[in-house]
Amino acid sequence: MRKLILTFALVLVANMGMAQANDTFKKDVMKMIEVTGSANQMKVAKDQILKMVPKEKQAAFLVEFDATLPALYDKMAELFMQEYTQEDVKAILKFYESPIGKKMSQKSGVIAEKSMTLGQEWAMGLQGMMMKYMQ
């Protein structure tokens, strides 16, 4: 009985330690999501969608849109935690805390917006080519 209790206590302590390590890892991943410019890219997406919402409904839309972001970021964190190690995330954070990393983060929104425009232009050209081969 004593061994059973001791084993249970050790498992409990190990789980608590892993949970704390997991919390630290998740905090690092959430910081990575922030510093990599994901928020800037979401702002670009929000601005694109906002253009389609009538002006009188935009304030309410923004409240609801912004309320969805924490759950999205949480899911993104879980995904990154599956694909990257904690050491990977620390290295990524180190890069994004450097001057060039900060510049990359700051420019991510502008680049995302311009990339969407380029992608739309490319897709329009592709439609013409597709029509040529579909006839």
Side-chain angles (χ1 to χ4, degrees):
M1 182 70 167
R2 192 175 215 182
K3 287 182 181 181
L4 182 63
I5 293 173
L6 183 59
T7 302
F8 179 73
L10 288 173
V11 169
L12 184 62
V13 169
N15 281 339
M16 288 176 57
M18 287 174 53
Q20 288 176 342
N22 201 36
D23 287 346
T24 302
F25 185 21
K26 190 166 188 174
K27 284 179 185 176
D28 285 346
V29 170
M30 293 299 271
K31 183 177 179 183
M32 182 184 77
I33 289 169
E34 179 185 329
V35 301
T36 58
S38 292
N40 290 339
Q41 292 174 7
M42 291 309 297
K43 183 183 180 324
V44 169
K46 179 170 56 173
D47 291 345
Q48 291 292 320
I49 297 167
L50 194 60
K51 292 175 186 176
M52 296 181 269
V53 177
K55 288 212 183 283
E56 64 274 4
K57 296 180 180 180
Q58 288 181 357
F61 167 78
L62 290 173
V63 169
E64 283 192 56
F65 183 93
D66 290 342
T68 67
L69 293 177
L72 173 64
Y73 293 148
D74 191 60
K75 288 178 182 177
M76 289 173 64
E78 295 296 328
L79 171 65
F80 288 137
M81 290 171 72
Q82 292 171 12
E83 299 298 325
Y84 295 115
T85 66
Q86 191 164 10
E87 292 75 29
D88 294 336
V89 171
K90 288 187 182 299
I92 292 167
L93 286 171
K94 185 175 180 179
F95 166 75
Y96 275 99
E97 290 168 351
S98 72
I100 193 66
K102 288 178 183 178
K103 183 176 182 178
M104 190 173 179
S105 177
Q106 290 168 347
K107 297 289 183 178
S108 67
V110 172
I111 290 172
E113 190 171 344
K114 289 180 179 181
S115 293
M116 284 191 334
T117 301
L118 291 173
Q120 289 170 348
E121 291 170 2
W122 173 78
M124 287 173 31
L126 188 61
Q127 285 178 343
M129 183 177 67
M130 288 172 51
M131 295 301 284
K132 180 174 118 179
Y133 287 98
M134 293 175 87
Q135 295 176 359

